[in-house]
Amino acid sequence: MSGATEQETGPGGHSGREAVRTDNAPRPAGAYSQGVVAGGFLYTAGFGPQDPRTGEIPEGVAEQTAQVLRNISSVLAERGLTLRDVVKVTAHLEHLKRDFAEFDRAYGAFFTEPCPVRTTVGSDLMNILVEIDVVAVVHERAATD
């Protein structure tokens, strides 16, 4: 399944959306895609910290943040993108007040200036501490690869 894409044709026969899938990130647990390319952007699903090969979840918010960002990086890589192409991040923390500082330190190790814009919210997550989704710019070179 690595590298698989599915295109949907929009009005007038123009390509509307393209699903992005990889075996290097956790498989969807429901009716959603790992990523979708539309309108010059790649939108990812919200990813948790599951290791895609073992299903294991690391302990601690820093370790979980790192695994989530590795999962997202794998989806981006299917379209020739990296975290440098990310322009918007939405992060959900199970324990916002308790874990924000540690999350932010771990998150910061993955991004360089200018960092993407980010919204961080407290959420009721299912047995995980962190979930993140991103929006990345698809460059011409990546769109045609």
Side-chain angles (χ1 to χ4, degrees), residues 65-122:
T65 300
Q67 182 61 52
V68 169
L69 291 170
R70 286 191 294 270
N71 291 339
I72 289 169
S73 292
S74 293
V75 175
L76 295 172
E78 286 300 320
R79 289 303 306 250
L81 304 175
T82 70
L83 291 173
R84 295 270 313 144
D85 299 301
V86 172
V87 294
K88 172 71 171 117
V89 174
T90 303
H92 299 263
L93 299 179
E94 175 73 25
H95 306 287
L96 182 60
K97 288 181 183 178
R98 182 191 81 184
D99 289 344
F100 181 82
E102 188 176 353
F103 156 78
D104 192 56
R105 277 191 297 279
Y107 173 95
F110 284 82
F111 291 96
T112 57
E113 292 292 335
C115 291
V117 297
R118 183 179 81 195
T119 301
T120 307
V121 297

Side-chain angles (χ1 to χ4, degrees), residues 5-27:
T5 60
E6 298 173 1
Q7 281 197 330
E8 178 180 290
T9 303
H14 300 311
S15 176
R17 300 181 299 171
E18 179 184 332
V20 179
R21 297 184 300 185
T22 179
D23 289 333
N24 297 321
R27 297 181 82 173

Side-chain angles (χ1 to χ4, degrees), residues 30-50:
Y32 60 89
S33 298
Q34 289 173 316
V36 170
V37 174
F41 295 95
L42 189 157
Y43 302 84
T44 71
F47 280 93
Q50 295 82 359

